[in-house]
């Protein structure tokens, strides 16, 4: 969070490569209009909170946390670590297996207050968003437009895995073993969400035609009266007029900034 402007970024980082964190910092910085080669880089100040890592059996969380701290130390901007709920303080033993105490969190963008949270809903089209991981050069992507107040999924392509139908037949234990970095502590919906992603891959083998026709974004607007988010996907005829539309509501609390 930029301590001067209040611009806030929230992201799920699950690997020890620094690119995703650097992209998050760049997104927050760009909201302020700071360019890469200016003296303003020396005056940037961020308040940082790290939430969710635990003492997993492969030390993956520790490697990610160490990477984050090292990258922040190497940048010109000043980072103040406000909260660090990771490692041993976020670990509890259950039947000899280390579990994270906290799985999720949120932030009040008006005040900067960070809090723990559980989400029964994870936003629109989670199966489509997960398929971004199968697109070339996949990386962190900001899906919330703070200027319009809309959620925007930008177009991406992917190759259908030849054995995708076989994954739908696999047991939960098989999916956890080969698709999870923490197979012993995944939430109950993990396996079904993974299958839903493969089902979407099979049903939409050409996403640039079926999901993003004409290279257009998938845009979701929140109805202020009902609190629902509506998918807006409009077709354009040859003469430029709108000729079709599709709406799909989903129920969720208001999001202000989210990265996926």
């Amino acid at each position: 969070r930029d301590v001067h402007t209040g611009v806030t970024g929230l992201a799920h980082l699950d690997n020890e490569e620094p690119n995703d964190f650097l992209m998050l910092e760049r997104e927050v910085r760009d909201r302020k209009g700071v360019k890469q080669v200016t003296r303003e880089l020396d005056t940037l100040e961020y308040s940082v909170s790290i939430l969710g890592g635990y003492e997993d059996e492969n030390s993956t969380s520790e490697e990610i946390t160490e990477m984050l701290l090292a990258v922040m130390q190497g940048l010109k901007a000043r980072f103040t670590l406000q909260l660090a709920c990771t490692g041993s303080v976020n670990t509890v033993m259950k039947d000899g297996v280390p579990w994270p105490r906290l799985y999720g969190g949120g932030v009040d963008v008006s005040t900067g207050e960070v809090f723990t949270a559980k989400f029964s809903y994870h936003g629109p089209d989670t199966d489509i968003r997960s398929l971004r991981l199968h697109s070339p050069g996949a990386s962190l992507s900001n899906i919330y437009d703070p200027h319009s107040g809309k959620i925007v999924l930008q177009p991406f392509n992917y190759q259908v895995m030849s054995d995708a139908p076989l994954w739908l037949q696999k047991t939960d234990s098989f999916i956890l073993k080969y698709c999870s970095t923490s197979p012993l502590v995944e939430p109950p919906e993990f396996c079904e969400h993974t299958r839903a992603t493969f089902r979407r891959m099979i049903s939409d083998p050409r996403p640039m035609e079926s999901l993003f026709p004409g290279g257009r974004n998938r845009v979701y607007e929140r109805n202020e009266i009902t609190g629902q988010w509506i998918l807006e996907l409009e077709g354009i005829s040859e003469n430029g007029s709108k000729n079709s539309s599709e709406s799909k509501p989903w129920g969720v609390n208001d999001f202000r900034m989210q990265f996926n």
Side-chain angles (χ1 to χ4, degrees), residues 57-68:
E57 58 273 20
N58 297 319
S59 300
T60 301
S61 296
E62 180 180 354
E63 293 175 359
I64 294 174
T65 301
E66 290 179 349
M67 175 275 294
L68 292 173

Side-chain angles (χ1 to χ4, degrees), residues 6-18:
V7 174
T8 303
L10 176 65
H12 175 210
L13 305 175
D14 60 0
N15 66 76
E16 64 274 16
E17 295 298 325

Side-chain angles (χ1 to χ4, degrees), residues 2-248:
D2 189 308
V3 300
H4 299 295
T5 66
V7 174
T8 303
L10 176 65
H12 175 210
L13 305 175
D14 60 0
N15 66 76
E16 64 274 16
E17 295 298 325
N19 292 338
D20 284 348
F21 176 77
L22 292 173
M23 184 172 294
L24 171 62
E25 189 273 338
R26 185 164 58 250
E27 283 276 350
V28 175
R29 182 210 315 156
D30 288 348
R31 303 292 180 189
K32 188 178 180 181
V34 176
K35 305 302 181 182
Q36 289 190 353
V37 187
T38 69
R39 292 183 179 179
E40 291 181 84
L41 287 175
D42 297 325
T43 64
L44 291 174
E45 294 184 58
Y46 299 113
S47 173
V48 178
S49 296
I50 301 175
L51 179 69
Y54 73 110
E55 291 187 326
D56 61 278
E57 58 273 20
N58 297 319
S59 300
T60 301
S61 296
E62 180 180 354
E63 293 175 359
I64 294 174
T65 301
E66 290 179 349
M67 175 275 294
L68 292 173
L69 296 176
V71 171
M72 286 188 284
Q73 290 176 337
L75 294 176
K76 291 184 177 181
R78 177 178 180 179
F79 295 84
T80 300
L81 188 59
Q82 174 178 304
L83 174 68
C85 185
T86 185
S88 61
V89 298
N90 192 41
T91 303
V92 59
M93 298 300 294
K94 299 180 181 180
D95 298 325
V97 177
W99 286 68
R101 294 177 184 272
L102 306 174
Y103 274 86
V107 58
D108 185 333
V109 297
S110 300
T111 65
E113 178 187 2
V114 176
F115 51 89
T116 62
K118 292 183 179 180
F119 300 92
S120 59
Y121 217 92
H122 294 268
D125 288 339
T126 55
D127 51 353
I128 296 176
R129 286 154 50 196
S130 295
L131 281 173
R132 285 192 68 256
L133 298 176
H134 295 271
S135 64
S139 61
L140 196 69
S141 176
N142 179 17
I143 66 172
Y144 182 77
D145 182 355
H147 301 294
S148 66
K150 298 180 180 181
I151 291 177
V152 180
L153 303 186
Q154 297 181 348
F156 61 87
N157 206 350
Y158 53 79
Q159 294 290 328
V160 177
M161 296 172 56
S162 59
D163 58 352
L166 296 178
W167 279 95
L168 300 179
Q169 305 172 24
K170 298 301 182 181
T171 63
D172 286 359
S173 59
F174 187 93
I175 291 176
L176 287 169
K177 180 178 180 180
Y178 292 100
C179 297
S180 171
T181 56
S182 305
L184 298 179
V185 299
E186 288 290 0
E189 66 273 11
F190 177 85
C191 292
E192 181 52 36
H193 172 70
T194 302
R195 293 188 183 96
T197 302
F198 282 113
R199 282 195 292 268
R200 174 67 77 168
M201 178 184 288
I202 296 169
S203 66
D204 290 272
R206 292 181 291 276
M208 296 305 295
E209 297 178 11
S210 59
L211 301 179
F212 307 100
R216 292 186 293 277
N217 299 332
R218 294 176 71 88
V219 180
Y220 304 80
E221 183 175 12
R222 183 174 183 268
N223 186 301
E224 296 182 359
I225 298 177
T226 65
Q228 300 287 310
W229 288 83
I230 307 299
L231 169 62
E232 303 174 345
L233 188 58
E234 298 183 329
I236 307 298
S237 66
E238 291 183 356
N239 59 14
S241 62
K242 299 176 181 179
N243 59 19
S244 65
S245 64
E246 173 186 340
S247 296
K248 176 185 177 183

